[in-house]
Amino acid sequence: MKNIWIIANWKSNKNIAEALEWISLVGPKLPRKDNLPAGRQGLKVVVCPTFSVIEEVKKAIQVGNFPLMVGSQDLSPFDEGAYTGEEAAAILNDLVELSILGHSERRQNFGESDEMVERKTAQAIAANIIPLVCVQGQDIPIPSECNLVAYEPIFAIGTGNPDTPENAESVAKKIKEKVGQEIEILYGGSVNSENCKKFLEQEDISGFLIGKASLDGEEFVKIIDCANSLI
Ligand code: 13P
């Protein structure tokens, strides 16, 4: 049985009040693992807020005891030390279990290179943070220690024009063949509650990285309910 990851990438959205409102809406509606029979516990839900909101989100999840992991949208390629403005993995790991690395918005707007993504991946692993490496196509290099990849074609991001489930499946299969190791592939790009089922039915797609539709708690819960009905 495959895991299904449903990961909210809030990008540069939601202040603390808005984030807490989202948590109080979504948290109680998440399927509770202890209510699920053995063998049906493969649903992993993650929220990735901005750095300044992570701590409050984490506290709210702990208080509510919600089955929700917290991730960051980036981390530093450097160790702790004299790197002004950077968030070192060794500091961040008090707060997050996963980090999105190499998102196309970082590659395009901040000049993030494949080599930098590789360094960030190594930092994440050394700090026990799961690296979720984003690739925009099957030819983008995947760091060797990485077991979780999101295929996010640029034409599909924020456009309302998703890839087809069949093409996403074909890319996922090719990435798996190329990497030749146990790896889980997620799809991202204009995912919503209407189109999510067809992607999840694909053999090699193990969930989603969701931007816009994750900002609306009700919409996000619908996607989770869809995933939960399939595992
Ligand atoms: P949208 O879901 O808004 O298309 O964004 C996808 C994405 O970039 C998630 O990382």
Side-chain angles (χ1 to χ4, degrees):
M1 189 204 72
K2 66 178 183 185
N3 288 322
I4 297 185
W5 296 82
I6 305 292
I7 303 183
N9 176 10
W10 284 353
K11 308 189 179 182
S12 277
N13 290 292
K14 291 200 189 290
N15 61 24
I16 291 174
E18 291 162 343
L20 295 181
E21 197 180 320
W22 187 99
I23 297 290
S24 64
L25 189 149
V26 172
K29 295 188 174 158
L30 294 174
R32 302 209 63 95
K33 291 196 171 86
D34 38 344
N35 294 342
L36 290 174
R40 280 200 65 208
Q41 298 189 357
L43 183 66
K44 296 173 191 283
V45 185
V46 188
V47 60
C48 302
T50 60
F51 285 121
S52 47
V53 170
I54 285 177
E55 187 174 358
E56 288 296 325
V57 162
K58 175 94 180 167
K59 278 191 218 153
I61 291 170
Q62 281 170 342
V63 168
N65 194 23
F66 301 134
L68 183 55
M69 295 161 76
V70 182
S72 65
Q73 300 171 19
D74 188 25
L75 52 71
S76 173
F78 299 106
D79 290 335
E80 290 164 90
Y83 301 102
T84 301
E86 283 300 298
E87 297 280 346
I91 297 173
L92 211 46
N93 70 1
D94 278 345
L95 295 173
V96 305
E97 293 177 70
L98 175 148
S99 188
I100 300 170
L101 302 178
H103 193 283
S104 58
E105 288 154 10
R106 294 212 57 81
R107 295 180 194 257
Q108 279 174 347
N109 299 320
F110 302 96
E112 195 155 300
S113 63
D114 295 334
E115 188 250 332
M116 203 172 274
V117 174
E118 194 155 322
R119 289 171 63 186
K120 290 181 178 192
T121 302
Q123 289 289 339
I125 287 175
N128 272 326
I129 295 172
I130 300 167
L132 166 57
V133 172
C134 300
V135 301
Q136 295 69 49
Q138 66 215 35
D139 299 328
I140 305 288
I142 294 169
S144 53
E145 316 94 314
C146 172
N147 298 318
L148 190 61
V149 163
Y151 161 59
E152 297 205 312
I154 289 172
F155 67 80
I157 295 181
T159 59
N161 176 33
D163 203 345
T164 62
E166 295 74 20
N167 193 57
E169 166 66 13
S170 149
V171 173
K173 219 181 233 339
K174 285 184 187 132
I175 292 173
K176 283 188 174 178
E177 280 163 17
K178 182 175 92 169
V179 171
Q181 70 192 40
E182 274 301 302
I183 191 164
E184 291 174 296
I185 315 283
L186 316 184
Y187 169 74
S190 299
V191 171
N192 60 34
S193 63
E194 303 280 302
N195 61 27
C196 60
K197 186 162 182 276
K198 287 235 156 51
F199 284 98
L200 290 176
E201 285 169 353
Q202 306 298 320
E203 191 185 336
D204 294 290
I205 294 180
S206 298
F208 301 121
L209 182 54
I210 308 170
K212 190 157 173 271
S214 77
L215 296 174
D216 174 348
E218 301 277 2
E219 173 71 0
F220 190 66
V221 167
K222 282 189 198 163
I223 298 171
I224 290 166
D225 288 345
C226 172
N228 197 42
S229 71
L230 295 174
I231 59 171

